[in-house]
Amino acid sequence: MMFWKWALRSLSCRARIHGRSHEKIFSTALFRARLGGNPAVKHHPKVLGCGEGCYWGVPSLLDVRYQIHHGRSFEKEPLDPFSLVADELSLLANRLRSMVVAEVPKLASAAEYFFKMGVEGKRFRPTVLLLMASALNMPIPQSAADEVFDNLSRDLRSRQQSIAEITEMIHVASLLHDDVLDDAETRRGIGSLNFVMGNKLAVLAGDFLLSRACVALASLKNTEVVSLLATVVEHLVTGETMQMATTSEQRCSMEYYLQKTYYKTASLISNSCKAVALLAGQTAEVSMLAYNYGRNLGLAYQLIDDVLDFTGTSSSLGKGSLSDIHHGIVTAPILFAMEEYPQLREVVDRGFDDPTDVDVALDYLGKSRGIERTRELAAEHAKHAIEAINTLPESDDEDVQISRRALVDLTQRVLTRSK
């Protein structure tokens, strides 16, 4: 009964957003459910490469009950955050493909390379932002009510969808540029754009995506949001420069590593979450809670990425494993291993140019708690992300509650993902 109650509310919410008949949507869902059972359970293994029930795998965090409205908590029923916004993700994907069309065929082909059907990636960031928009569907202060449209209006939702589109374009542009800098050969399970079309076209395609993102951003006509996302682009450049030009002390500093990680990964999702809140006319306090959720989720995501670079396979990751260490990049697992084995510092200082040094570093890592401690740090950031959601103003609206629960669920999926 709880599942059907959730499904009806979710479908009704999606129908309101897209102007579709909820009876029509529900009849389709019912048909699929009769064929395959609970659709959330059926599709769960396909999300972020998790196996069946994978997001139950972190007991320390799953013991944190999601409390809403005078301490009431949801029952532990299966929930797929991606299915809640599936219709919008499909709409967003189509709009992105139309937004990156260019006059020059070769540039158009390059710009749409990672927006084509089948290689769009996990669409993790748009999912977070669409769920955050729903989670903030609350009455806004009267003083701000004249400055924004009704927070349930289609216009506001469209503007928040634009933030998701802009964020995805900035993200893909950063991937194109990163692959050039790293001489990457694969990305998302296919040849990287620089490998297939060359470095020059890959850089130009990244620049083109950033320019399209800027045009879309300007159309929102919100100077604070424009400033936020312009800062994100600055952070991406700063983070990449920090990674390229480091002293020996900086390379071995956890503080430096985390600051670089914020710039390269967490700034985009945190400031985009804040932008979604600002467009809804939320208070500075609520906007900062949205920011803190994105910041901690982004840091947790990258920490797990660093773990998977050592524990994953090239086929599961869609890119080369051990990529960072082969490029001389020191990440959290090695930094933690160095705390246990100071002699590893000498190997790190040599820069891993010698394959033998890579083997030595991996040997020390295997003997240490480097991987485990990195996962623990990621779990700590995930916990802070959950706290940010739990601190949002109370709401009796069930769609808001479900979206918040989905955001909490995403933190678990980040921690347990395998790619």
Side-chain angles (χ1 to χ4, degrees), residues 16-18 88 133 137-138 140 148-161 279-280:
R16 288 200 304 270
I17 292 168
H18 300 292
E88 284 183 282
N137 242 346
M138 305 172 296
I140 57 178
V148 296
F149 289 97
D150 181 350
N151 70 330
L152 293 176
S153 72
R154 190 170 300 179
D155 180 79
L156 173 58
R157 190 70 180 194
S158 177
R159 287 157 65 81
Q160 291 172 324
Q161 287 170 348
L279 286 179

Side-chain angles (χ1 to χ4, degrees), residues 15-307:
R16 288 200 304 270
I17 292 168
H18 300 292
R20 297 169 59 187
S21 164
H22 68 272
E23 289 86 358
K24 182 176 180 181
I25 298 174
F26 180 68
S27 65
T28 303
L30 182 60
F31 174 72
R32 290 175 179 169
R34 284 172 177 168
L35 288 178
N38 183 336
V41 175
K42 179 179 178 182
H43 295 298
H44 174 69
K46 297 182 181 179
V47 178
L48 295 183
C50 294
E52 183 176 353
C54 70
Y55 74 100
W56 302 107
V58 188
S60 61
L61 276 182
L62 289 171
D63 287 339
V64 179
R65 300 287 291 179
Y66 176 40
Q67 302 294 328
I68 281 186
H69 194 58
H70 301 303
R72 190 176 71 204
S73 62
F74 283 106
E75 295 179 18
K76 293 289 183 181
E77 61 187 79
L79 174 66
D80 181 355
F82 295 82
S83 71
L84 291 175
V85 291
D87 289 347
E88 284 183 282
L89 287 175
S90 178
L91 178 67
L92 182 143
N94 290 332
R95 287 214 303 237
L96 280 170
R97 281 189 280 272
S98 68
M99 291 170 73
V100 299
V101 172
E103 292 181 17
V104 181
K106 202 162 189 178
L107 178 58
S109 179
E112 69 176 10
Y113 192 70
F114 286 125
F115 293 111
K116 293 182 293 187
M117 293 287 288
V119 290
E120 303 110 314
K122 298 181 273 294
R123 296 188 290 189
F124 177 76
R125 290 159 188 82
T127 298
V128 171
L129 295 172
L130 293 173
L131 288 172
M132 181 61 74
S134 297
L136 298 177
N137 242 346
M138 305 172 296
I140 57 178
Q142 191 63 39
S143 60
D146 294 333
E147 300 174 12
V148 296
F149 289 97
D150 181 350
N151 70 330
L152 293 176
S153 72
R154 190 170 300 179
D155 180 79
L156 173 58
R157 190 70 180 194
S158 177
R159 287 157 65 81
Q160 291 172 324
Q161 287 170 348
S162 292
I163 294 295
E165 293 160 3
I166 292 163
T167 298
E168 191 67 0
M169 283 192 284
I170 293 174
H171 171 60
V172 172
S174 73
L175 296 183
L176 297 180
H177 289 163
D178 282 355
D179 285 347
V180 170
L181 292 170
D182 297 340
D183 294 318
E185 296 183 359
T186 58
R187 170 73 69 177
R188 294 181 176 176
I190 61 174
S192 60
L193 184 61
N194 57 295
F195 183 74
V196 174
M197 298 186 180
N199 285 343
K200 290 182 179 179
L201 198 55
V203 171
L204 290 173
D207 292 345
F208 177 74
L209 291 179
L210 287 175
S211 68
R212 283 297 168 94
C214 289
V215 171
L217 189 57
S219 70
L220 294 175
K221 298 179 181 179
N222 185 306
T223 55
E224 190 170 3
V225 168
V226 170
S227 178
L228 273 179
L229 292 180
T231 300
V232 165
V233 176
E234 178 190 341
H235 285 170
L236 288 169
V237 175
T238 301
E240 193 62 48
T241 306
M242 287 175 70
Q243 183 166 283
M244 291 171 57
T246 59
T247 65
S248 175
E249 288 300 318
Q250 289 170 336
R251 292 179 75 222
C252 297
S253 165
M254 180 63 75
E255 181 181 358
Y256 188 87
Y257 159 83
L258 289 173
Q259 185 63 50
K260 177 198 72 176
T261 298
Y262 168 74
Y263 284 148
K264 281 177 60 68
T265 304
S267 175
L268 177 59
I269 189 64
S270 60
N271 283 294
S272 296
C273 282
K274 185 176 180 180
V276 164
L278 290 172
L279 286 179
Q282 294 297 340
T283 64
E285 181 182 5
V286 169
S287 298
M288 279 306 298
L289 289 172
Y291 169 89
N292 286 333
Y293 173 84
R295 178 182 183 277
N296 284 290
L297 187 72
L299 289 173
Y301 191 98
Q302 186 57 49
L303 286 163
I304 296 301
D305 227 39
D306 292 342
V307 167

